[in-house]
Amino acid sequence: MWVEHLRGVRGPLVWVGQFCASVSLFFLFRVCSPTSLQTETLNKPAFCRAVLGSCFVLRRARGSRLICGAISSKMISPSIKWPLATRPLLLSTLLILLTVATPSSCQSREPTFPKASNGAPFPWNKMRLPEHIIPAHYDLMIHANLTTLTFGGTTQIEITASKPTSTIILHSHHLQVSKATLRKGGGERQAEEPLRVLENPPQEQIALLASEPLVVGLPYTIVIDYAGNLSESFHGFYKSTYRTKEGEVRVLASTQFEPTAARMAFPCFDEPAFKASFLIKIRREPRHLAISNMPLVKSVTVAEGLIEDHFDVTVKMSTYLVAFIVSDFKSVSKMTKSGVKVSVYAVPDKINQVDYALDAAVTLLEFYEDYFNIPYPLPKQDLAAIPDFQSGAMENWGLTTYRESSLLFDAEKSSASSKLGITMTVSHELAHQWFGNLVTMEWWNDLWLKEGFAKFMEFVSVSVTHPELKVEEYFFGKCFKAMEVDALNSSHPVSTPVENPAQIQEMFDDVSYDKGACILNMLRDYLGADAFKSGIVKYLQKYSYKNTKNEDLWNSMASICPTGDTQHTDGFCSRGEHSSSTAHWRREGLDVKTMMNTWTLQKGFPLITITVRGRNVHMKQEYYVKGVADAPETGLLWHVPLTFITSKSDAVQRFLLKTRTDVLILPEEVEWIKFNVGMNGYYIVHYEDDGWDSLTGLLKGTHTAISSNDRASLINNAFQLVSIGKLSIEKALDLTLYLKQETEIMPVFQGLNELIPMYKLMEKREMNEVETQFKAFLIRLLQGLIDRQTWTDEGSVSERMLRSQLLLLACVRKYQPCVQKAEDYFRQWQEAGGNLSLPNDVTLAVFAVGAQTLEGWDFLYSKYQSSLSSTEKNQIEFALCISQNKEKLQWLLDQSFKGDVIKTQEFPDILRAIGRNPVGYPLAWQFLRENWNKLVQKFELGSNSIAYMVTGTTNQFSTRARLEEVKEFFSSLKENGSQLRCVQQTIETIEENIRWMDKNFDKIKAWLQNEQLNLL
């Protein structure tokens, strides 16, 4: 496997380069003999250390020319005994190489080893660390100075070597190492040997060079003294600030290490497979509080005004899960039934907003302990709301960290969607305490093993712990979101090779999270909930405190059979004769690994084409890819667990499609057939002949004959088929007309998700007439539902979320009954100095209307500055961004990027919102280009935030001129962005937008005219 090869020194025997003719065989074998290589250090003139890489460089006995070549570790390993018959061949081959090479070819060859920062050769040339040094325990002491914004520390790492080496390679980034020593054996009293330190900043590595090789199996301790500046970004050990009610700015320091930033806080072996235990000590001023992964054991005064907090030793874990915070936070705590102390930390002014998250965390932690049948292994679980936070949250073991809006709930001002979001986020991070923390992927290529599972478990857990939220209604929306990017040629398999930090960052995307969750949900639907649960519990129990690969999960599932099935000795399952499924099932064995490899090891998803001929249902699968009328012959095949219902039976039938085509026979002919029941499968369906007409007729007649999820999936699939020319835009638009009778949230939302982007494309082409007609059509379509909305906070969470979005749409589209009501509310709210309590569900619409005047905009901004409610601030932020005043929009971009009053963490959302504004989008695109280097520095190359900003400012372009602008800008960035996957995605999307508009615009125009005539 590629990972093994990259992991360093165990590569195949490879000769690279040429050798100079004048070097004697005696000299070559003498200097590069196994004995010499074990004892050679970089201080000697010859650099033949092939154990450290794939190339060695020799200085000639005379002169300064370099002798270049390559030799593998296998060749020089003392454990290898060359067969006698082979030795003459090796010698003669070497002799030929030595005699035919020319000095000039040797001189032009550059050494493959990088140079350290001091100019010396750096003895390692790979991004991945060598595997032969194994860390077991870290003893960290860190002292952060919140006045000078610096920190110092000492890291002691207990290691062992699995083979002799005098070089220790580990990670360090933006740290100044002042001293490094090595202690042999255990205990503090051992003599310390100084280590020479070499730094390789491009690879974020340092090399510690000992005077003699480490003895295999003997314990050693590395001691490193270092210092650094608190990071100005959102990763590493970074500075955060908040403003008190009185206007005082206070500073705190927090950590965000995932995926590769622990090395910014302390030198370490910063790869997930190098698990170790951690003893953490934090020095702080008495006015501050320090928290970390484990409970506080004791506090010691080390000097006047300086306290050192000692935390308990952690369990064995990866470096990216280490966390510590120095702040003046307050906390509230509760105990779970099993005695785990759960605490929520927040800034003092917001401590009254932690109760909802605290109760949710206790309930969810108890649920997971029961569901996984594995006790939570730590004595406490802290949840901390950080004022500056790039993503939504982070699962550090025992100290999960969150953006304030993802954790704090203001009972008076927070919206229904805020309650749902907080519950899901807390659920996600707590699921990680098992998936990710207890069992960790071996390398970032299998990131989905934790992120896909945590996303999936959000829905499993919250549907049980908070049934009133009805989270199951929203799950398949995640699948549609994933399919948007997975339908592009630039997508990637769920499990994808990655190496450098930017590539690793790019894995944190909709494919790893949402597609990962969707294929797990499909598998659970296929196996049955109980069988699926048995498999994942087995997986967690088997690999606790270990690292896993993709196949380990499927192997754990292999011996689990679906309910009602029997297991054979070969590990396969088969359906019993009593099964209600078709005869096809009874013949087929079930191989989970083979089936799921088709979903994780290849990108994209299948389009299933259904053709009904009497009782025969013909099925065909092909690779779905955007912008292609006939899918290219890729050879991609999936094992697709099809489900379907018919007009004659609402009992779910199942069929595993493993070949390109197949046929199933129905008991009787049917009027309609609907595949992918409940959208539990990660595929889309096309119905040939009159199949779509039958389903459109069903929706217009009795739409409740199928579930709201099925209705939403039909809307989605229809428009996906328009993109590849399988269905006409007229038929897709005809299908949406049934929405006049729709009342459920997900079909309405899906309709909006398909229709709004159509007029957004028109806005950026200045097609004013048709754009205006289309917007009017959308309001007419939903007018009945809009008029039925009350301006209150009544109803279920889904009813409240639907109300909020419908009223916002109506007001922004200038539907007068809505605008007038919102203007009245805004006037009353403004006259009361912003202290009038508005219904939470209508606040967004009220603010959006109020922000359209200069006076209203300024008043909203003044309230933004003083608000303590995350929901209210987000609502005001959105309203400010939909202003039609260019000067205000430019000011917003400048201020949020500066980060004084509007925090820089909000900038990606503000940039994207202005990028969607018909007046503001050129400003957003220009801002992104002018500030690219600063944005990458702040948010990290490859991060989800960068991708969000790139697509947010460009992916609604639909002209060739804009496409060329985008291509030209990103290609000019070279290694600072041109290679990013999000860039390829946005270019593909713009190309698709151009094709789509060229093909469908005139048809939409004609369809709208006909639709209006039908109204007369």
Side-chain angles (χ1 to χ4, degrees):
M1 204 173 143
W2 74 274
V3 174
E4 316 262 294
H5 179 63
L6 287 173
R7 285 308 285 259
V9 297
R10 296 201 294 271
L13 178 60
V14 179
W15 292 92
V16 180
Q18 295 175 318
F19 295 83
C20 294
S22 57
V23 180
S24 71
L25 284 174
F26 171 79
F27 176 77
L28 184 66
F29 281 113
R30 174 75 176 168
V31 177
C32 292
S33 68
T35 309
S36 173
L37 285 165
Q38 287 178 50
T39 58
E40 184 74 0
T41 73
L42 288 172
N43 298 325
K44 296 189 180 181
F47 185 46
C48 274
R49 300 169 56 93
V51 286
L52 300 173
S54 62
C55 185
F56 65 86
V57 181
L58 297 175
R59 288 207 172 271
R60 288 184 59 175
R62 288 183 184 170
S64 58
R65 291 178 185 168
L66 291 175
I67 297 165
C68 322
I71 190 165
S72 83
S73 59
K74 282 187 180 176
M75 179 184 169
I76 52 79
S77 171
S79 63
I80 291 181
K81 302 285 188 283
W82 296 104
L84 286 172
T86 312
R87 290 178 187 173
L89 177 62
L90 283 169
L91 290 173
S92 61
T93 305
L94 182 57
L95 191 57
I96 291 167
L97 283 168
L98 290 172
T99 54
V100 300
T102 63
S104 60
S105 68
C106 195
Q107 282 173 290
S108 63
R109 180 81 185 180
E110 289 295 320
T112 59
F113 280 90
K115 279 200 165 99
S117 52
N118 66 354
F122 189 83
W124 187 250
N125 62 355
K126 296 180 171 57
M127 292 299 297
R128 299 287 298 275
L129 298 180
E131 291 180 318
H132 53 262
I133 299 290
I134 302 116
H137 176 74
Y138 290 76
D139 195 322
L140 303 179
M141 190 287 294
I142 292 182
H143 177 196
N145 188 320
L146 301 189
T147 306
T148 62
L149 305 181
T150 59
F151 65 94
T154 300
T155 298
Q156 301 184 48
I157 314 174
E158 295 175 15
I159 61 166
T160 52
S162 62
K163 71 178 197 182
T165 179
S166 51
T167 307
I168 300 161
I169 310 290
L170 66 162
H171 288 110
S172 176
H173 189 40
H174 297 322
L175 299 176
Q176 296 82 50
V177 175
S178 55
K179 182 184 173 187
T181 57
L182 183 70
R183 282 203 306 262
K184 185 189 287 188
E188 297 276 338
R189 303 186 177 217
Q190 299 294 330
E192 292 192 353
E193 172 204 329
L195 295 170
R196 184 179 171 209
V197 181
L198 294 177
E199 297 180 340
N200 181 8
Q203 288 184 191
E204 302 177 3
Q205 294 170 352
I206 57 173
L208 307 179
L209 311 177
S211 58
E212 58 183 39
L214 276 61
V215 178
V216 172
L218 193 68
Y220 291 85
T221 301
I222 315 164
V223 184
I224 306 170
D225 294 336
Y226 64 96
N229 296 318
L230 288 176
S231 171
E232 291 290 332
S233 65
F234 298 102
H235 43 276
F237 191 22
Y238 71 94
K239 178 192 81 169
S240 175
T241 61
Y242 72 94
R243 198 179 296 269
T244 66
K245 284 178 184 173
E246 295 71 37
E248 178 195 353
V249 175
R250 292 188 183 172
V251 179
L252 61 126
S254 185
T255 58
Q256 169 61 41
F257 292 159
E258 189 183 32
T260 59
R263 64 192 70 169
M264 294 175 69
F266 56 98
C268 57
F269 297 83
D270 200 10
E271 294 182 6
F274 287 118
K275 288 192 170 186
S277 57
F278 295 81
L279 175 66
I280 297 171
K281 292 174 276 199
I282 305 289
R283 289 185 178 177
R284 60 172 175 86
E285 295 177 51
R287 65 195 174 102
H288 289 134
L289 163 85
I291 51 176
S292 185
N293 304 82
M294 295 297 285
L296 181 69
V297 174
K298 64 178 178 179
S299 297
V300 181
T301 301
V302 291
E304 188 176 345
L306 189 63
I307 294 171
E308 185 175 276
D309 290 328
H310 293 224
F311 297 92
D312 212 343
V313 181
T314 71
V315 292
K316 191 177 174 187
M317 66 185 198
S318 304
T319 48
Y320 77 87
L321 295 170
V322 173
F324 36 86
I325 302 169
V326 181
S327 70
D328 65 345
F329 286 172
K330 301 290 185 210
S331 67
V332 178
S333 306
K334 280 190 175 179
M335 300 290 282
T336 68
K337 290 173 187 170
S338 58
V340 177
K341 184 181 181 182
V342 179
S343 306
V344 182
Y345 287 82
V347 301
D349 289 344
K350 298 180 182 178
I351 196 64
N352 62 332
Q353 298 180 35
V354 304
D355 292 341
Y356 179 77
L358 179 60
D359 289 341
V362 168
T363 305
L364 286 160
L365 203 61
E366 290 172 347
F367 170 84
Y368 285 133
E369 284 196 308
D370 179 59
Y371 185 90
F372 295 135
N373 198 26
I374 298 172
Y376 174 72
L378 307 187
K380 62 96 173 174
Q381 170 61 234
D382 296 337
L383 301 84
I386 313 297
D388 297 276
F389 203 85
Q390 183 170 335
S391 59
M394 175 61 206
E395 70 266 22
N396 318 299
W397 214 346
L399 173 52
T400 51
T401 47
Y402 302 76
R403 186 180 279 225
E404 288 185 330
S405 58
S406 298
L407 192 67
L408 304 181
F409 184 81
D410 184 336
E412 291 182 6
K413 294 184 176 178
S414 291
S415 61
S417 59
S418 175
K419 177 178 278 191
L420 177 66
I422 290 167
T423 314
M424 299 298 268
T425 305
V426 171
S427 163
H428 183 101
E429 303 315 321
L430 295 185
H432 272 314
Q433 307 303 297
W434 285 265
F435 276 102
N437 299 10
L438 185 65
V439 179
T440 313
M441 70 275 143
E442 190 172 286
W443 182 242
W444 300 105
N445 60 308
D446 282 326
L447 174 71
W448 87 275
L449 281 176
K450 76 181 185 73
E451 294 301 349
F453 252 110
K455 180 62 67 177
F456 170 69
M457 288 307 300
E458 290 177 28
F459 292 87
V460 174
S461 61
V462 176
S463 63
V464 174
T465 61
H466 297 75
E468 73 283 0
L469 296 179
K470 296 186 177 174
V471 291
E472 58 281 358
E473 293 183 353
Y474 312 109
F475 181 81
F476 70 92
K478 300 287 179 190
C479 306
F480 294 151
K481 187 178 163 195
M483 284 173 160
E484 277 295 309
V485 293
D486 208 18
L488 300 173
N489 193 44
S490 54
S491 186
H492 64 91
V494 167
S495 183
T496 298
V498 288
E499 186 178 351
N500 65 46
Q503 291 169 344
I504 293 167
Q505 284 278 3
E506 286 193 301
M507 289 298 288
F508 290 78
D509 67 356
D510 291 340
V511 173
S512 294
Y513 283 68
D514 295 335
K515 180 179 180 177
C518 293
I519 62 175
L520 287 170
N521 181 63
M522 178 171 67
L523 181 61
R524 184 174 77 145
D525 181 63
Y526 177 61
L527 292 176
D530 291 342
F532 177 84
K533 178 180 170 182
S534 299
I536 62 172
V537 168
K538 180 182 172 187
Y539 167 77
L540 288 172
Q541 289 173 340
K542 182 175 181 179
Y543 294 106
S544 289
Y545 303 104
K546 295 177 184 151
N547 295 82
T548 58
K549 299 187 287 290
N550 202 37
E551 62 201 51
D552 296 323
L553 175 62
W554 309 137
N555 289 338
S556 295
M557 294 282 187
S559 59
I560 306 297
C561 291
T563 309
D565 293 7
T566 55
Q567 186 185 339
H568 301 292
T569 53
D570 58 5
F572 284 75
C573 306
S574 65
R575 295 257 162 170
E577 290 298 318
H578 62 275
S579 169
S580 60
S581 298
T582 61
H584 168 87
W585 271 107
R586 298 189 208 112
R587 293 197 308 271
E588 293 294 329
L590 167 60
D591 180 356
V592 172
K593 182 177 176 181
T594 302
M595 171 184 165
M596 294 310 292
N597 278 345
T598 69
W599 296 96
T600 58
L601 302 183
Q602 57 191 22
K603 68 181 179 182
F605 54 89
L607 162 66
I608 308 297
T609 299
I610 301 299
T611 312
V612 180
R613 296 276 185 272
R615 288 172 52 211
N616 290 0
V617 179
H618 297 260
M619 302 162 292
K620 180 180 81 172
Q621 64 161 299
E622 60 194 301
Y623 171 45
Y624 176 94
V625 59
K626 278 276 178 75
V628 181
D630 295 305
E633 195 58 54
T634 58
L636 296 180
L637 271 183
W638 287 263
H639 288 194
V640 192
L642 298 175
T643 56
F644 64 94
I645 53 174
T646 69
S647 57
K648 296 293 174 69
S649 171
D650 58 5
V652 178
Q653 300 297 307
R654 300 178 182 274
F655 190 98
L656 184 64
L657 180 63
K658 292 159 59 170
T659 52
R660 192 161 301 284
T661 60
D662 210 334
V663 183
L664 64 82
I665 302 168
L666 299 174
E668 55 186 322
E669 291 191 17
V670 296
E671 293 168 26
W672 54 263
I673 188 167
K674 165 70 175 71
F675 273 78
N676 202 358
V677 182
M679 186 58 203
N680 280 319
Y682 190 73
Y683 57 91
I684 62 172
V685 186
H686 174 45
Y687 303 90
E688 286 206 315
D689 301 331
D690 60 354
W692 276 106
D693 292 336
S694 301
L695 289 165
T696 300
L698 172 69
L699 291 177
K700 288 182 177 175
T702 52
H703 65 275
T704 53
I706 57 175
S707 71
S708 63
N709 280 12
D710 282 320
R711 303 196 295 269
S713 73
L714 285 176
I715 295 169
N716 169 272
N717 287 191
F719 283 94
Q720 295 305 309
L721 293 166
V722 171
S723 291
I724 58 168
K726 297 275 188 187
L727 193 67
S728 70
I729 185 65
E730 295 91 343
K731 283 200 172 184
L733 288 169
D734 284 343
L735 184 145
T736 65
L737 292 175
Y738 104 89
L739 287 170
K740 289 176 181 176
Q741 286 88 51
E742 187 59 81
T743 58
E744 297 288 330
I745 185 169
M746 291 319 290
V748 173
F749 275 17
Q750 196 54 45
L752 294 175
N753 286 343
E754 303 297 346
L755 296 172
I756 289 175
M758 290 165 64
Y759 75 66
K760 298 305 284 184
L761 291 180
M762 296 176 200
E763 284 179 346
K764 293 179 174 60
R765 276 195 174 197
E766 298 178 357
M767 298 167 158
N768 296 345
E769 184 188 351
V770 179
E771 174 199 325
T772 303
Q773 289 175 3
F774 196 90
K775 289 172 178 174
F777 153 69
L778 187 54
I779 294 300
R780 280 199 309 277
L781 184 66
L782 298 173
Q783 185 177 341
L785 193 55
I786 291 167
D787 290 342
R788 289 199 295 276
Q789 299 305 311
T790 59
W791 289 61
T792 65
D793 287 336
E794 295 170 355
S796 67
V797 169
S798 59
E799 287 169 342
R800 292 179 61 188
M801 288 169 61
L802 179 62
R803 174 188 303 130
S804 182
Q805 291 302 309
L806 283 174
L807 294 180
L808 175 65
L809 173 73
C811 283
V812 169
R813 293 278 63 85
K814 297 183 170 55
Y815 178 54
Q816 281 311 299
C818 180
V819 172
Q820 288 165 8
K821 195 136 190 175
E823 284 175 342
D824 290 342
Y825 267 115
F826 189 79
R827 187 167 49 252
Q828 294 169 36
W829 182 71
Q830 191 173 357
E831 286 169 358
N835 296 317
L836 179 71
S837 183
L838 295 170
N840 293 330
D841 299 339
V842 306
T843 303
L844 198 54
V846 171
F847 288 173
V849 169
Q852 296 310 306
T853 68
L854 290 179
E855 183 195 356
W857 197 98
D858 290 339
F859 183 75
L860 280 164
Y861 179 67
S862 70
K863 295 308 293 180
Y864 180 91
Q865 291 173 280
S866 59
S867 176
L868 291 174
S869 163
S870 296
T871 295
E872 185 176 60
K873 291 187 88 141
N874 289 343
Q875 290 168 333
I876 293 174
E877 201 176 277
F878 176 82
L880 297 178
C881 288
I882 62 171
S883 167
Q884 301 301 290
N885 185 302
K886 287 185 180 179
E887 287 74 25
K888 294 291 190 188
L889 297 176
Q890 186 63 51
W891 186 88
L892 264 183
L893 289 170
D894 294 336
Q895 289 302 310
S896 57
F897 190 53
K898 193 176 169 187
D900 289 343
V901 179
I902 303 174
K903 285 193 166 290
T904 307
Q905 67 176 15
E906 307 301 332
F907 177 79
D909 286 320
I910 287 173
L911 184 77
R912 189 180 179 92
I914 294 174
R916 296 297 195 245
N917 183 326
V919 171
Y921 77 88
L923 303 176
W925 171 224
Q926 184 67 19
F927 197 96
L928 181 85
R929 287 179 287 177
E930 290 176 355
N931 295 279
W932 178 261
N933 290 338
K934 292 178 185 172
L935 286 168
V936 166
Q937 205 172 352
K938 186 75 176 177
F939 293 100
E940 279 194 295
L941 193 66
S943 71
N944 193 256
S945 297
I946 291 289
Y948 185 75
M949 290 186 275
V950 168
T951 56
T953 50
T954 60
N955 73 0
Q956 289 183 344
F957 290 162
S958 63
T959 65
R960 285 168 181 80
R962 288 291 187 193
L963 174 63
E964 289 311 310
E965 264 183 34
V966 171
K967 283 182 173 179
E968 188 179 333
F969 170 69
F970 286 110
S971 65
S972 74
L973 297 175
K974 304 289 193 293
E975 68 281 354
N976 199 31
S978 63
Q979 79 286 8
L980 292 177
R981 188 181 290 123
C982 63
V983 172
Q984 309 312 313
Q985 287 171 344
T986 206
I987 288 170
E988 272 192 78
T989 302
I990 298 168
E991 289 171 342
E992 164 66 8
N993 292 344
I994 293 169
R995 275 193 300 268
W996 199 95
M997 288 295 280
D998 288 349
K999 183 177 180 181
N1000 295 310
F1001 178 73
D1002 290 335
K1003 294 176 182 176
I1004 294 169
K1005 185 176 179 181
W1007 186 89
L1008 285 169
Q1009 288 168 346
N1010 286 336
E1011 197 263 342
Q1012 282 180 304
L1013 287 173
N1014 292 337
L1015 291 173
L1016 299 176

